[in-house]
Amino acid sequence: MDLDVAQPEASSGSVPSLPPEIWDAVICHLHADNEALIACCLTCRAWLPTSRYYLFRHVRLKTRKSYASFLDSLQHSPDVLGWIKRLTITESSRSSHHPFDVSPMLVHLPNITHLHLRVAWAVSVCAPSLLASGIVFPSLTTLILRGGVYDAQEMPLLLSAFPMLSNLRLCDVNDRNLGAVPQPIAHPNESATRSDSSGLSELVLLRTSVAIEYFLFHSTLRFYLQSIEIDGNFCANSPCPRVLWESQASLHSLVIHHTPDHPGRRKMSGAYSAIIYRRISMLRQFLQAVPHNFGSLQLRSLRSLSIEPKPNWMMAAGEHIVDILHVITPGQIEDIRVGFVLQRSHDFQSRPDFWRIDEALTSLIRPGVRFTIAVVYDDGGVHQRHAMLKGFLKNFRQLIAGGADVRVMMTDALGRFSKETFRAQDNSTRALRCVSFLICA
């Protein structure tokens, strides 16, 4: 510490020196102001460690210019490497002709704990130098890949560089090699660097290539999952994914998003669509690594279940909701959330699909169990939403009449009104007529 700068001698008319804890608290209040933190770094040496901590603890690179500038800084100022713990890189270019190589940046940061790559869906991401060098990131626990095109066969090698990974999120991640179908791996090898007590505890897989999923499940990762968020249409007689079967004893939180049955949302030519669909079908056979149906699951440790709606909700989804509810063991469950998209009033008239959902929810009524009926309003006239919601809740007569703790939450798909919540009571028609809607942030 430079005492001449940080603690000047008190003299007539001078400002007394303050304890370092006071200066740290002042700098802490500037944690979101990068320009102020840079000024603090240049003020005195005593302020440098705290200023650098808040300036570099989470680096966000949102443009190519900022990426190149920061990479140059790392190469010429290696003393800042130890301060960087979280890194978010955004690449919005949609050109697939020039792959986005993240190796030059990551090789300088072996001690980061959180890595988030957010790229456009057509951008090809690669890390040849990183994979060839065998660098290990011993402190990285969270990896988020959102968007981008990757080589699925490189996924196991990439994940082996993160021996302490516990939180993995893959959203809109595509496979670069659309032609060949990979050969199944019978016995994946365990990583020598991974300790026996470590493993993946949180996993998010949304709109991810089936090939990426396949190589993920055949990598050196160990799955001790407590939280899973996935998309898929699961029914009682459908094959059970390995990731759910092996985690049923430890799973505490499960979020399921319904997906369309067709292989993709984008329109494709007939021949190309046939190739992709055939490849997906073959890969899905490889993914079903356990000879059990989804209905054989017993989620004894599950505490929170959320069934989220997809934009084009069809009544066929009612079967999936009922079959998912039937694999829950009531002993540990605390929160159950079921979502719907309310588009037209006649979409949700009373019918057998809703009777079965109502019966399945009613069978899970226990003291302390909270139910949430989440409705996404997507109709033209906002002023009609309360009347439509009133008719919609008639589908849950047994649940409400059974004295369950039911909360109804309504949001707008277009953001035309704030989120509204209320408690459903017995005699739901009277309750809706007298209810006072609560506006929530």
Side-chain angles (χ1 to χ4, degrees):
M1 179 182 292
D2 190 343
L3 298 178
D4 293 336
V5 178
Q7 298 180 358
E9 296 182 1
S11 60
S12 177
S14 64
V15 179
S17 62
L18 296 176
E21 294 81 2
I22 302 299
W23 293 123
D24 290 344
V26 172
I27 298 173
C28 178
H29 282 282
L30 304 174
H31 68 276
D33 190 339
N34 286 345
E35 293 185 1
L37 291 174
I38 293 174
C40 291
C41 289
L42 301 175
T43 301
C44 65
R45 293 182 181 178
W47 289 13
L48 188 59
T50 305
S51 301
R52 279 186 168 179
Y53 171 78
Y54 291 108
L55 187 62
F56 293 110
R57 63 173 179 171
H58 189 177
V59 177
R60 300 175 178 87
L61 306 176
K62 299 181 179 180
T63 63
R64 285 190 174 186
K65 182 178 179 181
S66 62
Y67 180 89
S69 177
F70 190 72
L71 180 58
D72 182 71
S73 300
L74 293 180
Q75 294 172 346
H76 293 86
S77 302
D79 53 323
V80 305
L81 299 179
W83 301 102
I84 303 172
K85 300 301 180 183
R86 298 166 63 95
L87 176 64
T88 299
I89 301 176
T90 300
E91 173 55 63
S92 58
S93 172
R94 293 186 176 271
S95 172
S96 58
H97 301 290
H98 303 285
F100 178 46
D101 188 359
V102 296
S103 298
M105 176 71 69
L106 296 183
V107 294
H108 292 286
L109 304 172
N111 296 319
I112 58 174
T113 61
H114 180 111
L115 175 61
H116 183 179
L117 298 181
R118 182 167 186 161
V119 300
W121 68 269
V123 174
S124 179
V125 183
C126 62
S129 301
L130 182 67
L131 298 177
S133 62
I135 295 178
V136 175
F137 297 77
S139 302
L140 195 141
T141 58
T142 300
L143 175 63
I144 303 175
L145 304 181
R146 189 179 299 273
V149 180
Y150 294 78
D151 189 335
Q153 299 188 42
E154 292 181 352
M155 190 60 64
L157 184 58
L158 176 64
L159 295 176
S160 67
F162 313 123
M164 299 305 296
L165 186 65
S166 62
N167 187 342
L168 176 62
R169 305 178 189 179
L170 304 180
C171 302
D172 300 302
V173 177
N174 299 310
D175 176 27
R176 182 181 306 147
N177 303 312
L178 295 176
V181 175
Q183 296 298 320
I185 303 174
H187 302 287
N189 296 323
E190 297 291 348
S191 172
T193 57
R194 181 175 290 275
S195 65
D196 292 337
S197 61
S198 65
L200 203 63
S201 60
E202 298 181 30
L203 176 65
V204 175
L205 284 175
L206 297 178
R207 302 172 301 277
T208 298
S209 165
V210 181
I212 296 290
E213 294 180 12
Y214 170 76
F215 283 103
L216 167 66
F217 297 146
H218 290 84
S219 68
T220 58
L221 287 178
R222 293 181 180 179
F223 294 94
Y224 300 96
L225 293 172
Q226 298 181 4
S227 175
I228 300 177
E229 183 173 357
I230 56 177
D231 50 10
N233 294 330
F234 302 110
C235 57
N237 58 358
S238 63
C240 182
R242 169 193 164 193
V243 65
L244 280 179
W245 184 262
E246 294 187 355
S247 304
Q248 58 182 320
S250 60
L251 195 61
H252 293 166
S253 175
L254 175 62
V255 180
I256 297 179
H257 298 257
H258 287 301
T259 56
D261 292 328
H262 55 77
R265 292 174 294 177
R266 303 182 183 90
K267 294 182 179 180
M268 298 178 289
S269 64
Y272 185 73
S273 176
I275 293 174
I276 299 301
Y277 186 78
R278 183 168 60 253
R279 181 170 180 271
I280 289 176
S281 299
M282 295 178 67
L283 285 174
R284 282 193 171 137
Q285 294 177 6
F286 296 149
L287 282 176
Q288 313 306 336
V290 294
H292 303 281
N293 292 336
F294 181 84
S296 303
L297 277 175
Q298 295 183 4
L299 302 179
R300 297 187 180 90
S301 302
L302 194 67
R303 300 176 183 174
S304 175
L305 171 67
S306 181
I307 305 175
E308 299 296 331
K310 66 184 181 66
N312 296 322
W313 196 92
M314 297 178 295
M315 291 313 304
E319 177 185 354
H320 303 303
I321 293 177
V322 172
D323 290 343
I324 293 171
L325 292 174
H326 281 167
V327 302
I328 300 176
T329 302
Q332 300 293 329
I333 194 69
E334 299 174 354
D335 291 282
I336 299 177
R337 170 189 168 108
V338 182
F340 304 90
V341 178
L342 190 59
Q343 294 177 321
R344 296 174 299 273
S345 59
H346 63 271
D347 284 346
F348 296 100
Q349 294 176 356
S350 181
R351 61 185 78 186
D353 303 82
F354 276 112
W355 300 343
R356 295 185 61 207
I357 296 175
D358 189 21
E359 290 177 353
L361 289 173
T362 304
S363 68
L364 296 172
I365 295 179
R366 299 289 190 281
V369 179
R370 297 178 294 272
F371 297 86
T372 300
I373 299 175
V375 177
V376 180
Y377 186 77
D378 195 20
D379 191 69
V382 177
H383 63 281
Q384 301 176 353
R385 67 185 187 275
H386 293 166
M388 292 176 62
L389 184 61
K390 175 181 174 180
F392 169 69
L393 287 183
K394 292 180 180 179
N395 294 297
F396 302 96
R397 293 181 184 275
Q398 295 185 52
L399 179 65
I400 297 174
D405 181 7
V406 182
R407 184 182 69 160
V408 181
M409 183 179 68
M410 190 175 192
T411 58
D412 183 35
L414 302 179
R416 292 167 292 183
F417 59 86
S418 301
K419 181 173 66 177
E420 299 171 330
T421 63
F422 67 92
R423 297 283 180 183
Q425 305 170 2
D426 194 5
N427 191 353
S428 59
T429 302
R430 179 174 178 273
L432 275 173
R433 190 182 300 118
C434 304
V435 74
S436 174
F437 284 87
L438 303 176
I439 305 301
C440 302

